[in-house]
């Protein structure tokens, strides 16, 4: 705006405000400093609160904004691409048309945090046409839900744009209100395995998604993506102020995405809610933006709990490599199978069973053989032994990030497992960022990133090959989760953050706030194989885990995954059998999930209802601060009485105090109760709530008005 206009605007100050307020509900709000540019198209959420607008600026640059009521959430932010071999798709556009539609359907989750998900929103497809360059077109599709927005680009098949070679995506996210951000660095050597930082958004450098933000007015936002298929993963890089920009994961090829039109990009997602609890609950948006199940009948995908020859390697008492300390021996595996059978675990993971771990496996992975067991490991015999005990071995494919070797062996490796009835495989890609060895079209080996287009393709290839054999996949050092479990329900979990292993050897170990940070960041994207339950609270060399026993139990409820490991050694569980009972009881498949309270990085309480009984489970965790949370039980059925088995921090408990001070108590509860949940510093609380057996009979209405009474008695 030039000075003259500014002066006139200032003179008319009040009029402007009045006009602005009056128009707020009608057309898209016009930024007062740019009144000459009306938005060209807009779409609202079903409740009318969120509003997405798109326009082209004076130079034909497409840009979008998001508002909530009268408040701008995302300021005008640019859209477009830089291509490697054709003029960029960024300016000289006009809006060639737009169409709107609504959708409202409900679909079932074969397994998950709830039984079904409602997909309710409004869609706007906007066609952009260039006024030069053979009138190339690019469409942007927005879907607006009550708690967030997703949008993606559509590349149509057209003579001037058949082969699309993207070197940069220009999508921006200019967050309007000052905000605090929780984030991990994107593009650094340790992939997603960093501690979360909390900084002003204006101090973020380059971050992975989900990146979570709390604005000055208390709104909670998260930027992520959905349906990352055959495309490079998106990091966000801060340009200026609070303006973030998509930064696609690199490739040594220079071009980061190669596609033939027609194709669509992944969805860019922005969750917008009034609380941290709602932010977590609004993550269904990511699943809704994924394609429905492509695998047909997936009743063979079974959520399960497992134990394994795993923690001992991280403690250093066993090795993956062969030799005197080799962990994956036939005798040791039998010990784990017996333990699993005795305590009701379906799975036994065995790492280090196959040839290739000797020498520096971290560095290359050329030696891995996925069909050849070490001589002291009787794969066939153990698979049979496990089956005879009602237990299954869980397969393990550590690739060292070498997918040249892995892809060659993949069909045979999966065939072997399928033949032996091994229906779950943990994969691993231990290599630094940029250290994935991948086969190139030129027959050469190329170095790639864990979240680039090459790995996006690789992971789906593994998941599809596995699905053909009715095998589920749990990837470590993975590409991030973008909700593809909806389309491929055999992709049950992944790592993609700092898990329990850092408490064995980490320097530093995970601080008390780590898991609370995870809930509102990493966990927005989907299930994590965190591997909780180390009740010994000891890492390598007796290193103290900064937790309490009660918190270890609560993690099973708080950190969702359809597969959960009991990560500690059998001999350690033998010393903590009372606490272990909760790990044995807790389900891994849920009918409902409620986030009862929470603040990012501080504390959270989640209640989940078992899919196969009327039991509820509740987990509460805190950071280094002690807390007293008042938790209403109004999610319980009216007219039903329950008993709660409470695993709580004792008076001496704490991450610096006696982590083993655990108190277990049973008490009657009903939906009219509030529990006072006391958490020690670095502590937690885990509760199982079961309906009392017996018939319910109505009882006389209570005379007391002060406190509602349960309406039924148990006979
Ligand atoms: C890293 C994984 O996160 C861990 O679970 C596994 O034990 C090692 N890689 C070896 O595959
Ligand atoms: Ca890892």
């Amino acid at each position: 705006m030039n000075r003259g206009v500014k002066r006139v605007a200032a003179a008319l100050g009040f009029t402007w405000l009045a006009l602005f307020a009056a128009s707020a509900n009608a057309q898209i709000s016009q930024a007062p400093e740019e009144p000459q540019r009306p938005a060209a198209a807009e779409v609202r959420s079903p409740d009318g609160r969120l509003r997405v607008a798109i326009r082209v600026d004076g130079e034909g640059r497409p840009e979008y904004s998001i508002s909530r009521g009268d408040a701008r959430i995302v300021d005008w932010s640019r859209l477009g691409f830089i291509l490697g071999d054709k003029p960029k798709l960024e300016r000289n556009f006009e809006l060639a048309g737009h169409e709107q539609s609504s959708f409202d359907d409900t679909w079932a989750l074969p397994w998950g945090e709830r039984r079904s998900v409602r997909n309710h929103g409004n869609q706007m497809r906007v066609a952009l046409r260039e006024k030069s360059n053979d009138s190339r077109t690019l469409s942007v599709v927005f879907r607006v839900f009550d708690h967030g927005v997703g949008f993606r680009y559509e590349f149509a098949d057209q003579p001037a744009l058949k082969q699309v070679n993207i070197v940069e995506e220009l999508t921006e996210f200019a967050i309007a209100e000052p905000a605090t951000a929780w984030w991990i660095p994107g593009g650094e050597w340790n992939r997603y395995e960093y501690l979360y930082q909390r900084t002003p958004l204006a101090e973020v450098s380059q971050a992975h998604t989900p990146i979570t933000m709390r604005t000055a007015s208390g709104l909670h936002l998260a930027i992520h993506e959905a349906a990352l298929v055959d495309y490079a993963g998106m990091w966000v890089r801060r340009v200026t102020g609070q303006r973030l920009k998509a930064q696609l994961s690199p490739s040594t090829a220079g071009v980061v995405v190669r596609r033939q039109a027609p194709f669509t990009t992944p969805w860019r997602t922005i969750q917008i809610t009034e609380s941290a609890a709602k932010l977590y609950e609004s993550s269904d948006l990511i699943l809704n933006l994924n394609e429905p199940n492509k695998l047909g009948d997936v009743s063979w995908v079974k959520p399960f709990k497992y134990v394994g020859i795993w923690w001992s390697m991280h403690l250093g008492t066993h090795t993956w490599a062969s030799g005197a300390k080799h962990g994956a021996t036939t005798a040791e595996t039998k010990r784990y199978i017996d333990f699993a059978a005795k305590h009701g675990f379906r799975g036994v993971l065995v790492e280090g069973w196959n040839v290739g771990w000797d020498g520096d496996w971290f560095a290359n992975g050329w030696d891995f053989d996925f069909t050849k067991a070490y001589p002291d490991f009787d794969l066939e015999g153990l698979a049979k032994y496990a089956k005879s005990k009602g237990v299954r071995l869980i397969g393990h494919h550590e690739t060292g990030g070498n997918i040249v070797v892995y892809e060659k062996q993949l069909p045979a490796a999966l065939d072997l497992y399928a033949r032996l009835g091994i229906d779950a495989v943990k994969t691993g890609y231990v290599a630094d960022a940029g250290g994935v060895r991948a086969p190139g079209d030129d027959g050469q080996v190329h170095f790639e990133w864990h979240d680039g287009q090459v790995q996006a393709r690789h992971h789906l290839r593994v998941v599809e090959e596995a699905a053909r054999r009715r095998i589920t996949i749990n990837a470590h050092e993975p590409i991030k989760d973008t909700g593809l479990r909806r389309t491929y329900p055999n992709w049950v979990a992944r790592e993609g953050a700092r898990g329990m292993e850092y408490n064995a050897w980490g320097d530093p170990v995970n601080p008390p706030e780590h898991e609370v940070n995870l809930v509102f960041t990493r966990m927005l994207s989907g299930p994590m194989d965190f591997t909780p339950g180390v009740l010994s609270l000891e890492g390598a060399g007796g290193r103290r885990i900064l937790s309490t026993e009660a918190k270890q139990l609560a993690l099973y409820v708080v950190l969702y995954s359809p597969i959960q490991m009991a990560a500690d050694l059998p001999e350690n569980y033998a010393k903590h059998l009372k606490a272990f009972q909760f790990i044995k009881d807790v389900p891994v498949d849920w009918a409902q999930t409620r986030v009862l309270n929470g603040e990012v990085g501080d504390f959270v309480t989640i209640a989940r209802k078992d899919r196969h009984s009327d039991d509820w489970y509740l987990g509460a965790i805190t950071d280094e601060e002690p807390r007293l949370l008042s938790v209403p039980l109004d999610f319980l059925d009216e007219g039903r009485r329950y008993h709660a088995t409470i695993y709580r921090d004792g008076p001496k408990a704490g991450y610096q105090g006696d982590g083993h001070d655990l108190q277990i108590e049973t008490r009657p509860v009903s939906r009219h109760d509030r529990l006072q949940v006391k958490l020690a510093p670095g502590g937690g609380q885990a509760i199982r709530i079961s309906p009392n057996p017996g018939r319910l009979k109505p009882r006389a209405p209570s005379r007391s008005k002060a406190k509602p009474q349960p309406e039924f008695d148990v006979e």
Side-chain angles (χ1 to χ4, degrees), residues 191 193 476-477 495 501:
R191 308 165 308 265
E193 296 175 18
H476 277 233
E477 297 75 51
E495 191 186 38
E501 62 190 15

Side-chain angles (χ1 to χ4, degrees), residues 222-234:
I223 297 173
H224 189 45
E225 60 182 307
L228 171 48
V229 176
D230 203 359
Y231 199 86
M234 179 184 76

Side-chain angles (χ1 to χ4, degrees), residues 193 310 314 320 351 357 361 396 398 426 428 430 476-477 495 501:
E193 296 175 18
W310 179 79
H314 291 274
W320 287 278
E351 295 197 357
W357 293 87
W361 65 270
H396 187 232
E398 172 57 62
K426 171 177 171 179
V430 174
H476 277 233
E477 297 75 51
E495 191 186 38
E501 62 190 15

Side-chain angles (χ1 to χ4, degrees), residues 420-441:
L420 297 175
I422 295 172
D423 60 0
V425 176
K426 171 177 171 179
T427 58
Y429 298 86
V430 174
D432 291 353
V436 171
R437 287 165 167 83
D441 296 338

Side-chain angles (χ1 to χ4, degrees), residues 50-285:
L50 292 185
R51 196 174 62 222
V52 177
I54 183 168
R55 68 183 187 185
V56 290
D57 74 2
E59 293 181 48
R61 288 198 190 98
E63 46 189 21
Y64 76 98
S65 67
I66 303 176
S67 309
R68 183 176 186 267
D70 293 336
R72 193 50 78 64
I73 306 296
V74 177
D75 263 331
W76 291 107
S77 295
R78 289 168 62 180
L79 300 161
F81 294 90
I82 296 182
L83 307 175
D85 51 355
K86 298 182 183 70
K88 63 182 173 179
L89 287 161
E90 186 248 355
R91 66 177 77 195
N92 240 341
F93 276 105
E94 60 186 2
L95 294 188
H98 61 93
E99 57 189 39
Q100 300 213 4
S101 54
S102 298
F103 50 91
D104 188 0
D105 51 276
T106 298
W107 54 278
L109 281 167
W111 48 264
E113 304 94 314
R114 50 187 60 83
R115 277 191 196 283
S116 61
V117 170
R118 184 174 179 199
N119 177 35
H120 185 206
N122 294 320
Q123 170 171 303
M124 173 170 71
R125 171 178 279 106
V126 181
L128 300 162
R129 189 170 46 228
E130 271 182 315
K131 291 188 260 174
S132 52
N133 295 324
D134 303 319
S135 306
R136 295 180 302 178
T137 63
L138 178 68
S139 295
V140 189
V141 179
F142 294 93
R143 287 199 191 150
V144 190
F145 305 83
D146 285 345
H147 294 116
V149 175
F151 64 92
R152 72 177 177 190
Y153 300 91
E154 290 182 350
F155 284 80
D157 185 9
Q158 50 196 306
L161 208 56
K162 281 207 163 300
Q163 172 68 38
V164 181
N165 294 328
I166 297 172
V167 292
E168 202 175 323
E169 181 177 320
L170 301 173
T171 308
E172 292 179 342
F173 308 88
I175 305 301
E177 226 196 311
T180 301
W182 286 262
W183 58 287
I184 51 172
E188 289 305 318
W189 72 271
N190 208 13
R191 308 165 308 265
Y192 303 99
E193 296 175 18
Y194 286 91
L195 292 174
Y196 280 83
Q197 312 182 44
R198 173 198 161 131
T199 70
L201 179 57
E203 289 174 17
V204 168
S205 51
Q206 179 162 274
H208 276 298
T209 72
I211 173 174
T212 295
M213 294 155 271
R214 184 168 64 215
T215 70
S217 69
L219 279 181
H220 287 70
L221 316 177
I223 297 173
H224 189 45
E225 60 182 307
L228 171 48
V229 176
D230 203 359
Y231 199 86
M234 179 184 76
W235 310 331
V236 288
R237 178 164 59 79
R238 198 172 60 83
V239 183
T240 53
Q242 296 198 136
R243 185 172 294 268
L244 305 174
K245 181 166 175 286
Q247 176 71 47
L248 298 182
S249 177
S251 166
T252 43
V255 170
V256 297
V257 176
R258 288 174 200 276
R259 292 291 296 270
Q260 299 272 320
F263 74 95
T264 55
T265 67
W267 295 90
R268 279 63 190 93
T269 62
I270 304 149
Q271 290 165 245
I272 304 166
T273 62
E274 52 282 358
S275 68
K278 284 253 161 52
L279 188 72
Y280 181 86
E281 291 180 338
S282 71
S283 302
D284 280 353
L285 176 153

Side-chain angles (χ1 to χ4, degrees), residues 343 431 438:
H343 295 286

